[in-house]
């Protein structure tokens, strides 16, 4: 075992932020290393005659029912979106349950029905599965793993190595929505209307963009755990470039902004679900934005920043009043069990 | 939701036996139905230009370290073997952890190292992954999901529909070993030597057999949860035929037999890991057995029965003293958290 400065697993190791990276970099990646895993993208792109993408995610959101969805559709959409971020057309899913003894069948059924409809919306099929049960108190109602495979679109050419100076960074909609939907019900916050999770499948939106802009889309990624800040910092760290983003351009729902303020949470670190970031060639940025804004999943899309060579490996946020600050990864665990 | 005669999930729903089937048949399969899922095999065989197999399993064995292995190699071997049972050469795995807050890093590391070596033995690569953490008391040290894909061997032609009257049923080795290894340490049983789990990867053994006997191998399946009895009964139920097996031909280690007797457990229902059942054309049964017995994973292989038309959907065991009894699926949960 490598030398570590921690002896036990803490919740922060599951945050998707600094500690998750620390855990994975402590030797986990080194131990299991291979070319495909080293890409560290949302899924693996595998040559098996025809090029396919392969991705996995376990879901353990608490509570399992939340405004705007439940763990079932989250599990389908999460893996569907990871495949879409690889430029793939998601096709087949596996579905594996870890159920807690005593789970109500009515709840299980509601989750299953959500899975069914989410599969229909995304046009994917569950083709293999597994069901396990743990004793009461050794799980929490329901954990779901979905893994998925799909064919990489022939026009897609997506990867961190494709990012170049001048690329525009486009966010597909309002940020911090999913995280604050979960947080609001956990904290019992009340607003004029309930904050709804943005969980949805993005694959049709993505494929439409790939068909139109193909090679000029350099990277796609969905900022789930750890939020936009963590994802951008991860990308900056693995490239020779830096990233500039502008706070005034970050689209956010008013109620989400209020909830973040009330709880003292920085929306840059809050998990999103039905949201993605695109790094595109500057020459197509405006037409890309126009197409995206005409899509139901991109109505609030905005260009939020660009790739620069002035501060390699750094993400710099220019605040609404003109100040600048360095953006790091999520340092600990902010919102456990968010997805 | 369909009408059910149970309202909550019980441990038996994860047994792999009657209750698991009842749960899946209560509407789960109907809800998610498609041609590939309906095959209900250990994995899905998918046409994506080249034919590939895709399988998933979550592992939550307790304790995570046991004589002969740990949850890490179990998770790799389990999915590798499910792919092999589809006649596929396992190639890529996903690896998803649900860790409990407070897990010791030394334990996590030992599991990871076992994963690494199991991957090397099976010649598969982990190409994508996920790490989540739940609060202390909401999980149990470590749960692992592995999903896998591989190319179906061109000579493989495996499926329940290929079974025919007269097929010989061959078991690859001693039965009930994994389950009794776990059970013995849980119950603190002591024997002259410790019962070791039989967890191992079977893919090289299987591919060698497929290369030699191709089309004459009709079905391969690994009798894990629920044991040999449950797997045979499942097969009988989905075919027009029946199955005869002979107790005197069932290979079993003496200590395992003693442990079963001591605990009043029927070895037919005990989980196996590095074991498989083959349904082969009667014409090749003896040469198949000979090849298998020369393989390190088949030294104790035996022909244990055959497919008959006299009692459709039924599995009949002829006991060592000549009596006959009907074999059903595992009715409840015998050994929770066995894999």
């Amino acid at each position: 075992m490598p030398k570590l400065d921690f002896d036990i697993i803490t919740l922060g190791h599951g945050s998707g932020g600094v500690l998750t990276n620390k855990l994975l970099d402590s030797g986990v990646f080194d131990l299991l290393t291979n070319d495909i895993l080293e890409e560290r993208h949302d899924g693996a792109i595998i040559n098996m005659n025809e090029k396919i993408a392969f991705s996995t995610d376990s879901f353990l959101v608490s509570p399992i029912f939340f405004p705007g969805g439940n763990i079932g559709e989250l599990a389908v959409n999460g893996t569907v979106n990871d495949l879409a971020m690889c430029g793939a057309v998601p096709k087949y899913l596996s579905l594996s349950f870890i159920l807690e003894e005593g789970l109500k069948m009515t709840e299980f059924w509601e989750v299953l029905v959500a899975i069914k409809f989410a599969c229909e919306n995304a046009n994917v099929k569950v083709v293999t599965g597994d069901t396990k049960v743990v004793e009461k108190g050794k799980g929490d109602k329901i954990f779901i793993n979905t893994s998925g495979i799909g064919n990489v679109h022939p026009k897609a050419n997506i990867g961190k190595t494709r990012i170049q100076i001048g690329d525009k960074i486009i966010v597909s909609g309002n940020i911090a929505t999913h995280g604050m939907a979960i947080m609001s019900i956990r904290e019992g916050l009340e607003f004029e209307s309930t904050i709804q999770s943005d969980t949805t499948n993005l694959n049709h939106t993505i494929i439409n963009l790939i068909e139109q802009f193909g090679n000029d889309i350099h990277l796609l990624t969905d900022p789930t755990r750890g939020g936009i800040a963590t994802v951008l910092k991860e990308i900056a760290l693995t490239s020779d470039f830096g990233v500039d983003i502008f706070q005034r351009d970050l689209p956010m729902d008013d109620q989400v902004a209020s909830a973040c303020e009330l709880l003292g949470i920085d929306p840059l670190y809050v998990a999103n679900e039905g949201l993605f970031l695109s790094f595109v060639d500057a020459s197509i940025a405006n037409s890309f934005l126009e197409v995206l804004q005409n899509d139901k999943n991109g109505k609030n899309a905005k260009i939020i920043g660009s790739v620069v060579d002035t501060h390699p490996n750094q993400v710099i946020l220019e605040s609404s009043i003109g100040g600048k600050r360095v953006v790091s990864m999520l340092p600990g665990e902010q919102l456990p069990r968010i997805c």
Side-chain angles (χ1 to χ4, degrees), chain A:
Chain A
M1 194 170 113
K3 264 199 171 167
L4 300 175
D5 55 4
F6 52 94
D7 297 323
I8 60 164
I9 296 289
T10 61
L11 283 173
H13 288 118
S15 69
V18 171
L19 289 175
T20 303
N21 276 274
K22 208 164 176 177
L23 174 62
L24 296 177
D25 286 333
S26 73
V28 177
F29 267 111
D30 286 347
L31 192 73
L32 302 173
T33 189
N34 63 63
D35 292 352
I36 303 170
L37 187 64
E38 280 303 324
E39 282 287 314
R40 294 196 185 203
H41 194 34
D42 295 322
I45 298 181
I46 300 163
N47 283 309
M48 301 185 75
N49 201 346
E50 196 171 354
K51 207 191 256 187
I52 73 169
F54 177 33
S55 187
T56 192
D57 246 323
S58 288
F59 297 85
L60 30 85
V61 64
S62 172
I64 59 173
F65 299 100
F66 49 81
N70 69 44
I71 192 171
E73 64 212 274
L74 202 68
V76 171
N77 293 337
T79 292
V80 160
N81 292 347
D82 279 347
L83 292 171
M85 297 308 134
C86 297
V89 181
K91 209 162 168 184
Y92 299 112
L93 294 187
S94 65
L95 177 62
S96 177
F97 292 110
I98 299 176
L99 308 175
E100 185 190 18
E101 185 186 19
L103 174 72
K104 284 189 193 130
M105 275 303 293
T106 49
E107 294 187 321
F108 184 47
W109 193 255
E110 198 173 334
V111 168
L112 274 171
V113 170
I115 288 171
K116 177 198 169 67
F117 286 114
C119 285
E120 284 177 5
N121 289 337
N123 195 26
V124 294
K125 288 178 180 178
V126 172
V127 293
T128 190
D130 180 43
T131 310
K132 297 268 161 62
V133 181
V134 289
E135 309 90 322
K136 201 163 176 60
K138 298 289 185 184
D140 194 9
K141 288 195 168 182
I142 181 164
F143 301 150
I144 303 179
N145 176 280
T146 51
S147 301
I149 52 182
N151 290 107
V152 176
H153 193 284
K155 285 191 180 171
N157 185 8
I158 287 160
K160 284 177 190 160
T161 54
R162 294 218 54 234
I163 296 175
Q164 55 191 40
I165 296 164
D167 277 2
K168 293 295 175 193
I169 302 168
I170 296 166
V171 68
S172 64
N174 289 340
I175 69 166
T177 315
H178 175 74
M180 294 321 294
I182 304 288
M183 204 59 184
S184 298
I185 48 163
R186 282 203 211 151
E187 300 287 325
L189 296 186
E190 285 191 16
F191 300 95
E192 275 177 43
S193 60
T194 316
I195 300 174
Q196 305 274 323
S197 164
D198 62 343
T199 179
T200 193
N201 61 301
L202 296 166
N203 53 320
H204 305 311
T205 303
I206 296 286
I207 296 303
N208 180 38
L209 289 165
I210 288 172
E211 274 172 358
Q212 293 194 51
F213 299 102
N215 210 45
D216 286 324
I217 304 174
H218 297 159
L219 188 70
L220 298 167
T221 186
D222 56 344
T224 51
R225 277 184 301 168
I228 286 183
T230 302
V231 160
L232 288 177
K233 181 65 182 174
E234 275 174 5
I235 292 167
L237 278 177
T238 56
S239 81
D240 296 330
F241 310 127
V243 164
D244 278 343
I245 51 171
F246 300 93
Q247 193 170 27
R248 65 169 181 278
D249 296 328
L250 287 169
M252 193 169 14
D253 174 81
D254 286 345
Q255 291 197 148
V256 171
S258 308
C260 284
E261 222 170 280
L262 209 63
L263 296 168
I265 289 175
D266 184 341
L268 280 180
Y269 292 96
V270 176
N272 309 278
E273 283 296 330
L275 193 79
F276 64 102
L277 293 170
S278 309
F279 286 63
V280 305
D281 197 275
S283 65
I284 61 137
N286 288 323
S287 38
F288 182 97
L289 184 66
E290 203 182 309
V291 172
L292 184 50
Q293 285 172 338
N294 282 315
D295 187 289
K296 73 178 164 93
N297 293 321
K299 286 195 298 284
N300 299 311
K302 274 272 180 72
I303 297 175
I304 59 164
S306 54
V307 175
V308 297
D309 59 355
T310 42
H311 44 75
N313 305 141
Q314 296 284 13
V315 178
I316 304 287
L317 175 81
E318 192 180 300
S319 78
S320 304
I321 52 166
K324 287 188 178 183
R325 71 169 168 104
V326 172
V327 175
S328 317
M329 285 192 211
L330 177 64
E333 178 53 292
Q334 189 181 58
L335 305 169
R337 312 270 305 270
I338 204 73
C339 59

